[in-house]
Amino acid sequence: MTTPVVSVTPETGVSEVARLLLHRHISAVPVIDADGRLVGVVSEGDFLRRAEGDSHRHGSWWLRLFSEPTDNAAEYVKTHGRSAADVMTRDVVTVTEDISAGDVAHLLETKRIKRVPVLRDGKVVGIVSRADLLRGLAAQRDTPTATASVEDATIRKQILEEISAGDWAPTYGVSVVVVGGVVQIWGIVDSQEQSEALRVAAANVPGVKSVELNVSIIPAYAWSM
């Protein structure tokens, strides 16, 4: 999974959510209330519906005959609302940390979704996307004789803690895969310096045999153009 998780509150403005998605290089963000509960997700799809709102507001007269006023009202809120709570998708599929990668892949396929939040004690601790699954699969294929162990899990935990503790950490978050002591780091960084900092942070953790960086360097300003 990708961690740490960028989130917003139900009261966060729509324009602020849009800027956050651009700045953090992400396509969706969980919405978390004051009690730390996941209440929804705002994705690029929600903004696409918003962009289409005015062009489809009238629709075909014969389709309106079969539309329920309640459905039309809900659609109006999504396309004209000004807060995350207005535009978010409320029916969110989630998983826990102990689910297998195969089960996550099956869930994404059957539910036709691109990502799923990971919960621990009811709190969001990460997000697994289709890209994360591909990264894990690539790591396993690169080391066919090795399997992830308890020690690998410990190494991964220490690396993530070191990254999250630094004020240099990438704004997007990274995905870390450890198999047989070999670390693969995936994600998007703002600079070569951030990339090197990730390498050093991983290499300094006891038990790490080698570090492979699979990151793309995309400055934050490039996403706001």
Side-chain angles (χ1 to χ4, degrees):
M1 66 183 180
T2 295
T3 185
V5 180
V6 179
S7 64
V8 298
T9 67
E11 297 77 24
T12 303
V14 168
S15 58
E16 184 178 347
V17 175
R19 286 193 295 269
L20 185 65
L21 295 183
L22 287 172
H23 179 65
R24 300 280 185 162
H25 318 321
I26 53 180
S27 60
V29 62
V31 183
I32 299 176
D33 67 12
D35 296 324
R37 295 184 301 110
L38 176 69
V39 294
V41 169
V42 179
S43 69
E44 290 175 333
D46 295 312
F47 283 101
L48 288 176
R49 292 177 63 185
R50 187 178 183 87
E52 294 174 350
D54 289 337
S55 60
H56 294 284
R57 59 189 295 182
H58 300 297
S60 302
W61 67 268
W62 62 273
L63 285 177
R64 294 202 302 273
L65 290 177
F66 298 97
S67 299
E68 293 291 337
T70 299
D71 295 334
N72 293 337
E75 185 65 18
Y76 181 85
V77 171
K78 271 190 168 293
T79 57
H80 293 76
R82 304 182 67 177
S83 69
D86 293 331
V87 303
M88 70 183 183
T89 298
R90 297 176 182 273
D91 185 16
V92 182
V93 178
T94 64
V95 298
T96 56
E97 292 176 290
D98 57 354
I99 190 173
S100 69
D103 287 340
V104 174
H106 179 72
L107 187 64
L108 295 182
E109 179 65 23
T110 56
K111 296 292 185 179
R112 298 183 180 278
I113 54 179
K114 297 180 179 179
R115 66 197 68 79
V116 60
V118 183
L119 303 185
R120 180 196 302 156
D121 298 327
K123 304 294 180 64
V124 179
V125 293
I127 290 182
V128 177
S129 67
R130 293 179 181 181
D132 291 322
L133 292 177
L134 289 175
R135 292 162 185 166
L137 180 60
Q140 291 180 352
R141 287 183 174 178
D142 288 344
T143 54
T145 60
T147 56
S149 64
V150 174
E151 182 180 1
D152 287 332
T154 300
I155 291 174
R156 179 178 183 276
K157 181 175 181 292
Q158 292 178 351
I159 292 173
L160 290 174
E161 289 176 347
E162 181 66 20
I163 293 173
S164 63
D167 56 7
W168 52 264
T171 55
Y172 165 67
V174 295
S175 178
V176 178
V177 179
V178 184
V179 180
V182 177
V183 179
Q184 290 195 5
I185 301 179
W186 306 75
I188 299 174
V189 297
D190 294 330
S191 64
Q192 182 63 39
E193 288 75 15
Q194 277 188 338
S195 177
E196 287 301 305
L198 288 174
R199 180 185 60 78
V200 171
N204 285 337
V205 173
V208 171
K209 297 178 181 178
S210 64
V211 180
E212 301 174 8
L213 289 178
N214 301 282
V215 297
S216 299
I217 301 175
I218 305 179
Y221 68 81
W223 287 77
S224 59
M225 293 181 176

